[in-house]
Amino acid sequence: MRRIEATHSRPRKGHRASLEEVDRDIRSFRESSGARRLVLLNTASTETYQKLGDVHETLKGFEQGLDRDDDRITPSMLYAHAALRQQVPVVNCTPSHAVDIPALLEMAEEMRVPVAGRDLKTGQTLLKTILAPGLKARALGLAGWYSTNILGNRDGEVLDDPECLRTKEESKLAALRGILEPELYPELYGDFVHRVRIDYYPPRKDNKEAWDNVDIFGWLGYPMQIKINFLCRDSILAAPLALDLLLLSDLAQRSGLRGAQDWLSLYFKSPTVKNGRPIHDLMAQRHAWEDGVRRIAGWRNNGRNGNGRNGKASRPR
Amino acid sequence: MRRIEATHSRPRKGHRASLEEVDRDIRSFRESSGARRLVLLNTASTETYQKLGDVHETLKGFEQGLDRDDDRITPSMLYAHAALRQQVPVVNCTPSHAVDIPALLEMAEEMRVPVAGRDLKTGQTLLKTILAPGLKARALGLAGWYSTNILGNRDGEVLDDPECLRTKEESKLAALRGILEPELYPELYGDFVHRVRIDYYPPRKDNKEAWDNVDIFGWLGYPMQIKINFLCRDSILAAPLALDLLLLSDLAQRSGLRGAQDWLSLYFKSPTVKNGRPIHDLMAQRHAWEDGVRRIAGWRNNGRNGNGRNGKASRPR
Amino acid sequence: MRRIEATHSRPRKGHRASLEEVDRDIRSFRESSGARRLVLLNTASTETYQKLGDVHETLKGFEQGLDRDDDRITPSMLYAHAALRQQVPVVNCTPSHAVDIPALLEMAEEMRVPVAGRDLKTGQTLLKTILAPGLKARALGLAGWYSTNILGNRDGEVLDDPECLRTKEESKLAALRGILEPELYPELYGDFVHRVRIDYYPPRKDNKEAWDNVDIFGWLGYPMQIKINFLCRDSILAAPLALDLLLLSDLAQRSGLRGAQDWLSLYFKSPTVKNGRPIHDLMAQRHAWEDGVRRIAGWRNNGRNGNGRNGKASRPR
Amino acid sequence: MRRIEATHSRPRKGHRASLEEVDRDIRSFRESSGARRLVLLNTASTETYQKLGDVHETLKGFEQGLDRDDDRITPSMLYAHAALRQQVPVVNCTPSHAVDIPALLEMAEEMRVPVAGRDLKTGQTLLKTILAPGLKARALGLAGWYSTNILGNRDGEVLDDPECLRTKEESKLAALRGILEPELYPELYGDFVHRVRIDYYPPRKDNKEAWDNVDIFGWLGYPMQIKINFLCRDSILAAPLALDLLLLSDLAQRSGLRGAQDWLSLYFKSPTVKNGRPIHDLMAQRHAWEDGVRRIAGWRNNGRNGNGRNGKASRPR
């Protein structure tokens, strides 16, 4: 973070000292609030892009990095580490890596704590992951997707910095690629241009506005265009997701689940998953979510007929 | 049809005489073309709205209607009847009823002929059935959906007539209702306003342009808006669907399927189905289509895992 | 007016009796308010389209029409007549004819009362009369202009009636033709298609939204498109115009002006003018307004240099 | 220019040697073409932003800069200098400074050569200078104007470089400020946010697309929004301007005019003018153009009545 001045910040100390401090904060909050179960929700501003390296690979390497104050360990990783140590589930609502590095996912498995993330899917990417599967289902090719965002709050101020924007751009492109599978359909999706802009624009205040131009092509290569203008409210779209995630990650922990919770991908731009490729298609994520809820509830998963063509949950037996 | 002058038309005769004539046309085409298998694709202009009545209820009643030249039997129904009699599959690309009346569906079952329809889902409704399930998956409420279309070809000229527009408007609303299920989610979808306009606008020529304004509401009832401007090409979107349907309805017949082909719902605004409610959600239609293809191919349907989170078809064993 | 139920209405009587009643209302308001000078602002809902006939041609004919209760004399005309009789200036903010018929303009001249109208230029037409002169200044041709409006208040409810819409459509087309002069530039403007829709759409409430698609063509006939989406607020755009008109028509009367006030065209979609063609180009209207103010103030009109390339008013000497 | 590889370029030499070479090119073109009168139209790609300094201030200083190969003298300035020396009028269609520096304007006056520039007003800025005066005429305040452009040709490739974009951004803001006069109307225009993006987006090819979001406010500060999506063709909008400028700058020279031609401001984003502030309002520019043509033709300028409220030129006497 570079463009804004933080008003609530800790003096910079060594990693181990910082960890102790966060640890104390969590304990004191547990005491003062009287809460028996906690969840750590990371909703801080996006951190500057941090390329992943060896220090993030294994828990052992990460611990050594803590000892030598390795500066590739960011504040959001410290918070995640402190929470996991106390078996507090971690939900990462931001594009920062935080818990989404192999080292901390390993720790989450070991400590038997469920974690979920990365980057709440609220505005433009939500629409992308709704629209792209539809284009693919009709075999409509994609020549280009240009997206611009204007927002007037602190989030916009941070993302106006090209370094902070980079994580966001990469995750949006990954979502499109994950859905369209250019490797399987090179003629339709092998060569599309994807550009994303995020601009700080104070008149928009806490609202957010996205304008997308999608260049598609159909039969015989004929070009067509879809333009989408989404006048949304960031906090209004994000708040219910945060609340769901709070409740569901606590539920996951009580159900004995641990590590990355793939079934919570529905809420995120860059889903943190156990193995292999994340799912981005919103409807496929919705199905995975329904399966997850059913599994936890001990309901019998009775196949697609069960979760219904209408999206109705099947009844427990 | 009222606003345009037909240049290729038959003199109006009694129903039985017309049927004989169409019958002869089909036979002579079969002969002159040398084709062994035929499919009747109805791509004529939309007929004036025809309220369904008792004459359309049963095959027996329909046959009596033919005898007495009942004027509730439209040309598209005559064509469908003639084709079914020769065991030619019927695909209805238009909003007209044609084969989609109980009487002719009964005939299709009896004659062992597959049929599919109604109204190719190409432009605005395609986007509606892509977007609406996404809104529902996020529990975003709908206050209103305003849609306007401008098109400059003969199709637009016909639909500029309020009577012809009516069928289209009803089918678009049905699609939204079918997806959103206001009866299950009255707080979110119980009270939305839906308006559709179709305007003949010659400068657009054979292209079609849709502008949609979608008023949604989120957490605490806060309003948000989505505007979609789709600059599309009607024939380019429609042609590959017609070709798919030609091949697949022929395939269905060779596979022994008969009557309404629910698995072909993917292509239509008002799917003709065997029983109960049609599916409108594009992704659900896509799943049904994949199941249909697999069933025909004798592949084993191994559940959702099988058709893959990536939409990849499972391999035959 | 047909689609809505009026809650404040007078029992229908003969014209002369109605006139007396309005006359008494004006007098009693003058007394109770203590105001020495009055202005009648017509802001009622649009009346059903009334074709002008001989009864509207001359004051004498109009008076005879009053005597025989001619039903081509509408309520807004009665109000205008009553106001003029008491030398109260009349401002017509609506598309209804009201004072804008030859008979009442004659009366306004005779009674030495200034009048102004017709139909406040607030939303879409405002943009049309800003944009069209710009296209013309660049010799860009016009192939078509499609306009749709959605609004959720009573005004929208009234205009959803095709009969009431008609006046509005005609005045919007007249504005475009007046600016573009197809008779002078037939190759550029001789053949454009103009369509206007006004739809009652309750979710928009008192706000109004316009979507315009403008098909233009340039060098060698190449087509281009301009789309404008105006999210406006009808009352907010209208209120300051009404206040200006109240003050300026009173000022006009105190300055001895009478009859149609051409210099107030700036505020209206269908300007009421003394002779010949109304001006629609917003910037030309603005110049006329400045000239009018200067004339009244007795300032010296020192030509275009005087009103300044920046639109600054020249100083009085 | 940095992002693209030039395929037609001269080896870099000293300024004086370059000047001689251009001089020879002009002479040889004059000869080979047989043309008696020439005009230099600069339509090269935008140069990297060059801050003006003392070397650009006076002709004397500029000549000294040539002698010492001052690297603040750009290729477009060299071309302009060579043309002026041969009394060839210079028209600068690009945002580069070229002839628009005090030193070369001085030379143009001395050599009695008319010059015109800077940056053809074709797409988004054209709309800005049409729309902004309209907002001002209605006293609608401006909170912000966000503009994004996507274009796929070489012009876009060049402007994707932030350094090259800078000149363009400054000239667009200057146009808005020049029209709205924040110093006179600080409550309406004293505090607006203006952002411009230009993105290279290959799928758009030689076409250009602009999306503008304009945040305005009316009576009591109520916010409203105007969105404009302009699908234009850069070359089609530019070519007739270039042709006009060719003919009119030649006409100017034959009429004995010299130095900056203010009356040609109509064509440019950053008009090159003799003294003081340029005019940006398109309609005011149009009036100045008409005056200029009339003056050259020796017609009598008979005031605003003369050039007509309809924009019709007055007849010569």
Side-chain angles (χ1 to χ4, degrees):
Chain A
M1 256 178 293
R2 304 191 303 188
R3 301 237 162 155
I4 58 168
E5 204 58 50
T7 51
H8 293 71
S9 63
R10 298 175 180 288
R12 196 154 180 98
K13 307 180 179 176
H15 286 338
R16 289 292 178 194
S18 296
L19 274 180
E20 285 320 304
E21 211 167 87
V22 177
D23 194 79
R24 273 197 304 278
D25 283 358
I26 297 175
R27 282 179 205 285
S28 90
F29 175 71
R30 192 189 298 265
E31 224 161 281
S32 66
S33 68
R36 290 220 315 255
R37 302 189 317 268
L38 300 182
V39 171
L40 180 79
L41 271 168
N42 176 13
T43 61
S45 291
T46 305
E47 292 173 344
T48 303
Y49 182 74
Q50 175 60 56
K51 201 172 144 50
L52 294 191
D54 56 339
V55 71
H56 308 108
E57 261 324 298
T58 63
L59 182 51
K60 195 175 157 197
F62 189 82
E63 295 285 354
Q64 290 167 349
L66 289 174
D67 292 336
R68 67 170 183 272
D69 286 335
D70 191 308
D71 62 7
R72 292 169 298 173
I73 295 178
T74 67
S76 70
M77 295 172 191
L78 293 177
Y79 269 87
H81 185 281
L84 292 176
R85 201 159 53 168
Q86 291 194 37
Q87 292 195 301
V88 171
V90 176
V91 174
N92 179 15
C93 302
T94 80
S96 308
H97 276 287
V99 77
D100 192 9
I101 57 175
L104 292 174
L105 292 176
E106 187 188 330
M107 186 178 178
E109 296 281 351
E110 268 185 24
M111 298 297 295
R112 302 175 166 267
V113 191
V115 300
R118 202 149 60 86
D119 205 4
L120 292 183
K121 182 154 81 174
T122 48
Q124 194 173 52
T125 305
L126 175 64
L127 282 185
K128 278 187 179 173
T129 61
I130 291 171
L131 185 56
L135 299 178
K136 193 185 174 196
R138 267 290 191 267
L140 292 166
L142 183 65
W145 196 311
Y146 177 85
S147 300
T148 189
N149 295 271
I150 51 182
L151 62 169
N153 59 15
R154 176 165 274 224
D155 201 24
E157 216 171 340
V158 171
L159 289 167
D160 213 320
D161 180 342
E163 281 308 300
C164 289
L165 170 59
R166 215 171 126 191
T167 324
K168 265 217 137 71
E169 265 192 314
E170 302 221 341
S171 80
K172 288 184 180 209
L173 178 55
L176 270 187
R177 287 232 174 93
I179 290 169
L180 298 174
E181 299 181 300
E183 65 283 5
L184 289 183
Y185 308 101
E187 287 173 19
L188 295 176
Y189 309 115
D191 200 31
F192 66 87
V193 174
H194 183 245
R195 304 239 21 194
V196 176
R197 286 284 183 193
I198 301 183
D199 282 308
Y200 176 52
Y201 177 72
R204 196 51 74 246
K205 295 181 189 146
D206 189 50
N207 297 335
K208 192 157 88 176
E209 179 168 355
W211 182 72
D212 281 80
N213 167 75
V214 192
D215 283 279
I216 61 176
F217 55 90
W219 189 247
L220 306 175
Y222 271 95
M224 292 173 279
Q225 299 180 20
I226 303 173
K227 327 269 178 187
I228 305 176
N229 185 205
F230 189 7
L231 291 91
C232 66
R233 293 163 187 267
D234 220 17
S235 309
I236 293 302
L237 288 169
L241 307 189
L243 185 56
D244 268 24
L245 285 163
L246 182 74
L247 298 171
L248 293 173
S249 58
D250 174 63
L251 175 66
Q253 186 168 42
R254 286 187 289 141
S255 309
L257 302 178
R258 59 170 98 164
Q261 300 299 303
D262 298 34
W263 63 288
L264 296 176
S265 295
L266 176 65
Y267 301 99
F268 298 107
K269 279 198 196 74
S270 305
T272 302
V273 293
K274 278 192 200 301
N275 293 301
R277 289 203 308 191
I279 307 178
H280 290 284
D281 173 338
L282 189 80
M283 300 316 291
Q285 292 176 332
R286 173 84 195 178
H287 288 308
W289 182 93
E290 286 168 1
D291 286 350
V293 170
R294 247 182 242 112
R295 224 164 28 238
I296 287 177
W299 294 357
R300 176 138 171 194
N301 179 349
N302 41 15
R304 192 183 313 122
N305 297 333
N307 63 37
R309 63 178 195 218
N310 308 315
K312 272 180 288 196
S314 58
R315 299 290 173 283
R317 301 197 181 183
Chain B
M1 254 180 297
R2 303 191 303 189
R3 301 238 162 155
I4 57 170
E5 204 58 49
T7 50
H8 294 71
S9 63
R10 299 175 179 288
R12 194 149 185 106
K13 309 180 179 178
H15 286 337
R16 289 290 178 195
S18 296
L19 273 180
E20 284 319 305
E21 210 167 87
V22 176
D23 195 79
R24 272 197 304 279
D25 283 357
I26 296 175
R27 283 179 204 284
S28 91
F29 175 72
R30 193 190 296 264
E31 224 161 284
S32 67
S33 68
R36 290 219 313 256
R37 306 190 312 270
L38 300 181
V39 171
L40 180 80
L41 271 167
N42 176 13
T43 60
S45 292
T46 305
E47 292 173 342
T48 303
Y49 182 75
Q50 174 60 56
K51 203 172 142 47
L52 295 191
D54 56 338
V55 71
H56 309 107
E57 262 324 298
T58 62
L59 182 52
K60 194 175 158 198
F62 188 83
E63 295 284 355
Q64 291 166 350
L66 289 174
D67 292 336
R68 67 170 183 271
D69 285 334
D70 191 307
D71 63 7
R72 291 169 299 172
I73 295 177
T74 68
S76 70
M77 296 171 190
L78 293 177
Y79 269 87
H81 186 280
L84 292 176
R85 199 159 55 168
Q86 292 194 39
Q87 290 194 301
V88 170
V90 176
V91 174
N92 179 15
C93 302
T94 80
S96 308
H97 277 285
V99 78
D100 192 9
I101 56 174
L104 292 174
L105 292 176
E106 187 188 331
M107 185 177 178
E109 296 281 351
E110 268 185 24
M111 298 296 294
R112 302 173 167 266
V113 190
V115 300
R118 195 152 62 89
D119 204 3
L120 292 184
K121 182 154 80 173
T122 49
Q124 194 172 54
T125 304
L126 174 64
L127 281 185
K128 278 188 178 172
T129 61
I130 291 171
L131 186 57
L135 299 178
K136 191 185 177 198
R138 266 290 190 267
L140 293 166
L142 183 64
W145 197 311
Y146 176 84
S147 301
T148 189
N149 295 273
I150 51 182
L151 61 171
N153 58 17
R154 175 166 274 224
D155 199 23
E157 215 171 341
V158 172
L159 289 167
D160 214 319
D161 180 341
E163 280 310 299
C164 289
L165 170 59
R166 216 171 125 189
T167 324
K168 264 218 139 67
E169 265 192 315
E170 303 222 339
S171 81
K172 287 183 181 212
L173 179 55
L176 269 188
R177 288 233 174 93
I179 290 169
L180 297 174
E181 298 182 299
E183 64 285 5
L184 289 183
Y185 308 101
E187 288 174 19
L188 295 176
Y189 308 115
D191 201 30
F192 68 87
V193 173
H194 184 245
R195 305 241 18 195
V196 177
R197 287 285 183 192
I198 301 181
D199 282 308
Y200 176 52
Y201 177 71
R204 196 50 75 246
K205 295 181 187 146
D206 187 50
N207 297 334
K208 191 157 89 174
E209 180 168 353
W211 182 73
D212 281 80
N213 167 75
V214 192
D215 282 279
I216 62 176
F217 56 89
W219 189 248
L220 305 174
Y222 270 95
M224 291 172 282
Q225 299 180 20
I226 303 173
K227 327 269 177 186
I228 304 175
N229 184 205
F230 190 7
L231 291 92
C232 64
R233 291 163 187 269
D234 222 18
S235 309
I236 293 301
L237 288 169
L241 307 189
L243 184 57
D244 268 23
L245 285 162
L246 181 74
L247 297 172
L248 293 172
S249 59
D250 174 62
L251 175 66
Q253 187 168 41
R254 286 187 290 142
S255 308
L257 302 179
R258 59 170 97 163
Q261 299 298 303
D262 298 34
W263 64 289
L264 295 176
S265 296
L266 176 66
Y267 301 98
F268 298 106
K269 280 199 197 71
S270 305
T272 302
V273 291
K274 279 193 199 298
N275 293 303
R277 290 203 304 191
I279 306 179
H280 290 285
D281 174 339
L282 189 80
M283 299 316 293
Q285 292 176 331
R286 173 82 195 178
H287 288 306
W289 182 93
E290 286 168 3
D291 286 350
V293 170
R294 250 184 238 109
R295 225 166 25 240
I296 287 177
W299 294 356
R300 176 142 171 187
N301 180 350
N302 41 14
R304 195 186 310 120
N305 297 332
N307 62 38
R309 62 179 195 217
N310 308 315
K312 272 178 291 197
S314 57
R315 301 288 172 283
R317 303 196 181 183
Chain C
M1 252 180 299
R2 303 191 304 190
R3 301 238 162 154
I4 58 170
E5 204 57 51
T7 50
H8 293 71
S9 63
R10 300 175 179 288
R12 195 151 182 102
K13 310 180 179 177
H15 285 337
R16 289 292 179 194
S18 296
L19 274 179
E20 284 319 305
E21 211 167 87
V22 177
D23 194 79
R24 273 198 305 277
D25 282 357
I26 296 175
R27 284 179 204 283
S28 91
F29 175 72
R30 192 190 297 264
E31 224 161 284
S32 67
S33 67
R36 291 219 312 255
R37 305 190 312 270
L38 301 181
V39 171
L40 180 79
L41 271 167
N42 177 12
T43 60
S45 291
T46 305
E47 292 172 342
T48 303
Y49 182 74
Q50 175 59 58
K51 202 170 142 47
L52 294 192
D54 56 338
V55 70
H56 308 107
E57 263 322 299
T58 63
L59 182 52
K60 195 175 157 197
F62 188 82
E63 295 284 355
Q64 291 166 351
L66 289 174
D67 292 336
R68 67 170 183 271
D69 284 336
D70 190 307
D71 63 7
R72 292 169 298 172
I73 295 177
T74 68
S76 70
M77 295 171 191
L78 293 177
Y79 269 87
H81 186 280
L84 292 176
R85 199 159 55 168
Q86 291 195 39
Q87 291 194 299
V88 170
V90 177
V91 174
N92 179 15
C93 302
T94 80
S96 307
H97 276 286
V99 75
D100 193 9
I101 55 175
L104 291 174
L105 292 176
E106 187 188 332
M107 185 177 179
E109 296 281 352
E110 268 185 24
M111 298 297 294
R112 303 174 166 265
V113 191
V115 301
R118 197 152 62 88
D119 205 3
L120 292 184
K121 182 154 81 173
T122 49
Q124 194 173 54
T125 305
L126 175 64
L127 281 185
K128 278 187 179 173
T129 61
I130 291 171
L131 186 56
L135 299 178
K136 192 186 177 199
R138 267 290 190 269
L140 293 165
L142 183 65
W145 197 309
Y146 176 83
S147 300
T148 188
N149 295 272
I150 50 183
L151 62 170
N153 59 16
R154 176 166 274 224
D155 199 24
E157 215 171 341
V158 172
L159 290 167
D160 214 320
D161 179 342
E163 281 309 300
C164 289
L165 171 59
R166 216 172 125 189
T167 324
K168 264 219 138 67
E169 265 191 314
E170 303 223 338
S171 81
K172 287 182 181 215
L173 178 55
L176 269 188
R177 288 233 173 94
I179 290 170
L180 297 175
E181 299 183 299
E183 64 284 4
L184 289 183
Y185 308 101
E187 288 174 18
L188 296 175
Y189 309 115
D191 201 30
F192 68 87
V193 173
H194 183 244
R195 305 241 17 195
V196 176
R197 286 286 183 192
I198 300 182
D199 282 308
Y200 176 53
Y201 177 71
R204 196 50 75 247
K205 294 180 187 147
D206 187 49
N207 297 333
K208 191 157 89 175
E209 179 169 353
W211 181 72
D212 281 80
N213 167 75
V214 192
D215 283 279
I216 61 176
F217 56 88
W219 190 246
L220 306 174
Y222 270 95
M224 292 172 280
Q225 299 180 19
I226 303 173
K227 327 269 179 186
I228 304 176
N229 184 207
F230 190 8
L231 291 92
C232 64
R233 293 164 186 267
D234 221 18
S235 309
I236 293 301
L237 288 169
L241 307 189
L243 184 56
D244 268 23
L245 285 163
L246 181 73
L247 296 172
L248 293 172
S249 59
D250 174 61
L251 176 65
Q253 186 168 41
R254 286 187 288 141
S255 307
L257 302 178
R258 59 170 98 162
Q261 300 297 302
D262 297 35
W263 63 289
L264 295 176
S265 296
L266 177 65
Y267 301 99
F268 297 106
K269 280 200 198 71
S270 305
T272 302
V273 291
K274 278 193 200 298
N275 293 303
R277 290 204 304 194
I279 307 179
H280 290 285
D281 173 339
L282 189 79
M283 300 316 292
Q285 292 176 333
R286 173 82 195 178
H287 287 307
W289 182 93
E290 286 169 2
D291 287 349
V293 170
R294 249 184 239 111
R295 225 166 25 241
I296 286 178
W299 296 355
R300 178 142 169 188
N301 181 350
N302 41 14
R304 195 187 307 122
N305 297 332
N307 62 39
R309 64 179 195 219
N310 308 314
K312 271 179 290 196
S314 57
R315 299 289 172 281
R317 303 196 181 183
Chain D
M1 253 178 296
R2 303 190 305 188
R3 302 238 162 154
I4 58 169
E5 204 59 50
T7 50
H8 293 71
S9 62
R10 300 175 178 287
R12 192 147 185 105
K13 306 180 180 178
H15 286 338
R16 289 291 178 193
S18 296
L19 274 179
E20 284 320 304
E21 211 167 89
V22 177
D23 194 79
R24 272 196 305 277
D25 283 358
I26 297 175
R27 282 180 206 283
S28 90
F29 175 72
R30 193 190 297 266
E31 226 160 283
S32 67
S33 67
R36 288 219 316 255
R37 301 189 318 268
L38 301 181
V39 171
L40 180 80
L41 271 168
N42 177 12
T43 60
S45 292
T46 304
E47 292 174 344
T48 304
Y49 181 74
Q50 175 60 55
K51 201 172 144 48
L52 294 192
D54 55 338
V55 71
H56 308 107
E57 260 325 297
T58 63
L59 181 51
K60 196 176 155 194
F62 189 82
E63 295 285 353
Q64 290 166 350
L66 290 174
D67 292 335
R68 67 170 182 271
D69 285 336
D70 190 309
D71 63 6
R72 293 168 298 173
I73 295 178
T74 67
S76 70
M77 295 172 192
L78 292 177
Y79 269 87
H81 186 281
L84 292 177
R85 201 160 52 169
Q86 291 194 37
Q87 291 195 300
V88 170
V90 176
V91 174
N92 179 15
C93 302
T94 81
S96 308
H97 277 286
V99 76
D100 193 9
I101 55 174
L104 292 173
L105 292 176
E106 188 188 330
M107 186 178 178
E109 295 282 350
E110 267 184 25
M111 299 296 295
R112 302 175 166 266
V113 190
V115 301
R118 202 152 56 89
D119 205 4
L120 292 184
K121 183 155 81 174
T122 47
Q124 194 173 53
T125 305
L126 175 64
L127 282 185
K128 279 188 178 172
T129 60
I130 291 171
L131 185 56
L135 299 178
K136 192 185 175 196
R138 266 290 192 268
L140 292 166
L142 182 65
W145 196 310
Y146 177 85
S147 299
T148 190
N149 295 272
I150 50 182
L151 61 170
N153 59 15
R154 177 165 273 223
D155 200 24
E157 216 170 338
V158 172
L159 289 167
D160 213 318
D161 180 340
E163 281 309 300
C164 289
L165 170 59
R166 218 172 123 189
T167 325
K168 264 217 138 71
E169 265 191 314
E170 302 221 341
S171 80
K172 288 185 179 209
L173 178 55
L176 269 188
R177 287 233 173 94
I179 290 169
L180 297 174
E181 298 182 299
E183 64 284 3
L184 288 183
Y185 309 101
E187 288 173 18
L188 295 176
Y189 308 115
D191 201 31
F192 66 88
V193 174
H194 183 244
R195 304 238 22 193
V196 176
R197 286 286 182 193
I198 301 182
D199 282 308
Y200 176 52
Y201 177 73
R204 196 52 74 246
K205 295 181 188 145
D206 187 50
N207 297 335
K208 192 157 90 175
E209 179 168 354
W211 182 72
D212 282 79
N213 167 74
V214 192
D215 282 279
I216 61 175
F217 55 90
W219 189 246
L220 305 174
Y222 271 96
M224 293 173 280
Q225 298 180 21
I226 303 173
K227 327 270 179 188
I228 304 176
N229 185 206
F230 189 9
L231 292 91
C232 65
R233 293 163 186 267
D234 221 18
S235 309
I236 293 302
L237 288 169
L241 307 189
L243 185 56
D244 269 24
L245 285 162
L246 181 75
L247 297 172
L248 293 173
S249 58
D250 174 61
L251 175 66
Q253 187 168 41
R254 286 187 289 139
S255 309
L257 301 178
R258 59 169 97 163
Q261 300 297 304
D262 297 35
W263 64 288
L264 295 176
S265 296
L266 176 65
Y267 301 98
F268 298 106
K269 280 199 197 71
S270 305
T272 301
V273 293
K274 279 191 200 298
N275 293 301
R277 291 204 305 193
I279 307 178
H280 290 286
D281 172 340
L282 189 80
M283 300 316 291
Q285 292 176 333
R286 173 84 194 176
H287 288 307
W289 182 93
E290 286 169 2
D291 286 350
V293 170
R294 247 183 241 112
R295 224 163 28 237
I296 287 177
W299 295 356
R300 177 139 170 192
N301 179 351
N302 41 16
R304 191 183 314 121
N305 297 333
N307 63 38
R309 65 182 194 213
N310 307 315
K312 270 179 291 195
S314 57
R315 299 288 173 283
R317 302 196 180 183

